[in-house]
Amino acid sequence: MEECISVFDMLKIGVGPSSSHTLGPWRAAERFLAELNQENLLDKTTRVKVDLFGSLSLTGIGHATDLAVMLGLSGQDPEYIPVENIDKIITSIKNTHQINLGNQLLIPFDFEKDIVFNKNFLPFHANGMTFTAFTSGKEYTSTFYSIGGGFVVKEERVNAKKKHQIKCAFPYPIQNAQELLEYCTTQNRKISEVVYDNEKSMRSEEEIDKELMRIWNTMLECMYIGCHSEGILPGGLNVRRRAFDMHQGLIGLSNYNNPQEWLETIRKTEVKFRQILKWVSCFALAVNEVNAALGRVVTAPTNGSAGVIPAVLMYYLVIENHEAGEKEIKQFLMVAGEIGSIFKKGSTISAAMGGCQAEIGVSSAMAAAALCEVMGGTPDQVQMAAEIAMEHHLGLTCDPIGGLVQIPCIERNTMGAIKAINAAELAMETDAKNAKVPLDKVINTMWQTAKDMNSKYKETSEGGLAVAVNVADC
């Protein structure tokens, strides 16, 4: 089934720590509430039970899946909820053993009994969950699957049919990298220009521009918060935030009052090679430390890999091109979103399906492609940059210690960002006609690698570092 995927599907504002294990279940809970309303059952519901399966069960506690489900059932929106309210809502549910269903109806809810962790996997996808509403003498059950990047589907794929109808409105329907390249070649256009025309078939130019900048400002604020927050991350691993100390060593005693002034201040700092490495790493660390603390991030294309694209875009703005502004920011985000959508169509962006190559690998490819275009790369070079970045992430496993999006996840964002910059530079210095591996081939190889990968290395915490390092050692 062909899909219509917008840039705003690939770059979504939400709450950490995981797009597939936090944002997805949160959205699934919202959709369940919508179904109850549609069936006129919400006001008749006396109890709700949630069954989590497979990867959602095995690493759900570490990913705050249970908290996300409760917040979703409470009618809270992950895009707009004040993050400082999260603890209050969860504490209230736990202390009172009640939940305000859809923010409309107070019903009994015992989070220890009404959220059930089932280690068995449902056949359709590794991230399955079933919601059950009990009314007088009747049960209403609905099963959802969180397929990565905050995307949620049902097995019958009803929404996929709707997306197919939307796609018909696209002047340039794109299923793979080759189709995208053909549009650019025949019309002598940049990838971002093709993407912008597709977006205009669904939204006004004003709305597109506004939303792209809202995404960037959320990324910038996330980096800013991360660089100015110190302490220990929640979850029990006692991971100390590092962005704060690294940032202090880089910025010195500079004065600024907001994220934009901060950006301008960084432009004035020393930019030797070591400082550049440190700045890029600092930006990526900052985002994923905020993510690990249930802060607001942009899923890009997942929460676990949310630091790569902001770090690379920030690098471009503060190191590579001090004259860059809104035009280049929007251009960067559109290219990144399109490359991510092609990976989603041809492979997966779910670590539970493909390991960390599906998260850090894809985000690195997205960032590499976007950086290549804003630095003047041709569409062929842009795709080559994405291919190079993914080629050197193939087979990367997902083995989070304690099921938390912390070790090795936070550091991996720094590696993905640096590889993206390297990949873009290699592509810029290469005649793309001499490329031996097309982007579509590496996407297909990634999917084959994902299918061959042992399930222990797919976000289950049953292999790799997750078992080699005991939580007690941390």
Side-chain angles (χ1 to χ4, degrees), residues 301-427:
T302 68
N303 283 27
S305 61
V308 176
I309 288 171
V312 175
L313 178 47
M314 190 69 162
Y315 156 80
Y316 177 72
L317 294 172
V318 300
I319 305 293
E320 189 66 33
N321 184 1
H322 288 192
E323 302 303 315
E326 287 192 13
K327 174 180 174 291
E328 290 80 9
I329 290 167
K330 290 183 285 189
Q331 185 180 354
F332 189 105
L333 295 176
M334 283 189 287
V335 174
E338 184 59 41
I339 295 300
S341 75
I342 292 172
F343 271 96
K344 183 181 183 299
K345 293 166 189 170
S347 184
T348 180
I349 57 170
S350 166
M353 291 296 287
C356 201
Q357 61 175 354
E359 296 203 23
I360 295 297
V362 173
S363 64
S364 186
M366 292 165 68
L371 180 61
C372 187
E373 178 168 307
V374 294
M375 290 198 305
T378 66
D380 294 271
Q381 289 174 321
V382 168
Q383 291 201 4
M384 187 179 187
E387 180 277 318
I388 293 170
M390 173 49 73
E391 185 178 328
H392 301 291
H393 281 94
L394 287 174
L396 186 61
T397 60
C398 182
D399 47 357
I401 296 174
L404 295 161
V405 192
Q406 296 183 18
I407 304 172
C409 320
I410 295 173
E411 281 183 356
R412 280 188 181 166
N413 280 264
T414 71
M415 302 301 170
I418 296 299
K419 282 187 180 180
I421 296 169
N422 195 10
E425 290 292 349
L426 285 172

Side-chain angles (χ1 to χ4, degrees), residues 250-311:
L250 288 164
I251 201 77
L253 300 175
S254 301
N255 293 315
Y256 46 85
N257 298 304
N258 55 59
Q260 187 58 42
E261 288 183 11
W262 175 61
L263 186 154
E264 297 295 342
T265 301
I266 296 171
R267 283 177 164 170
K268 300 172 186 175
T269 62
E270 189 176 35
V271 289
K272 293 179 181 178
F273 183 67
R274 283 189 68 196
Q275 278 70 36
I276 294 172
L277 281 176
K278 287 180 181 180
W279 271 121
V280 174
S281 296
C282 183
F283 298 144
L285 287 174
V287 171
N288 286 83
E289 287 173 353
V290 170
N291 179 64
L294 274 74
R296 176 155 287 114
V297 299
V298 176
T299 297
T302 68
N303 283 27
S305 61
V308 176
I309 288 171

Side-chain angles (χ1 to χ4, degrees), residues 77-109:
D77 189 319
E79 190 169 346
Y80 296 102
I81 182 175
V83 291
E84 62 271 16
N85 290 353
I86 290 176
D87 279 345
K88 299 175 189 175
I89 296 169
I90 296 300
T91 300
S92 175
I93 294 171
K94 290 182 176 181
N95 289 344
T96 65
H97 291 91
Q98 290 182 316
I99 194 166
N100 192 2
L101 193 65
N103 205 25
Q104 298 178 43
L105 179 68
L106 203 61
I107 63 170
F109 187 86

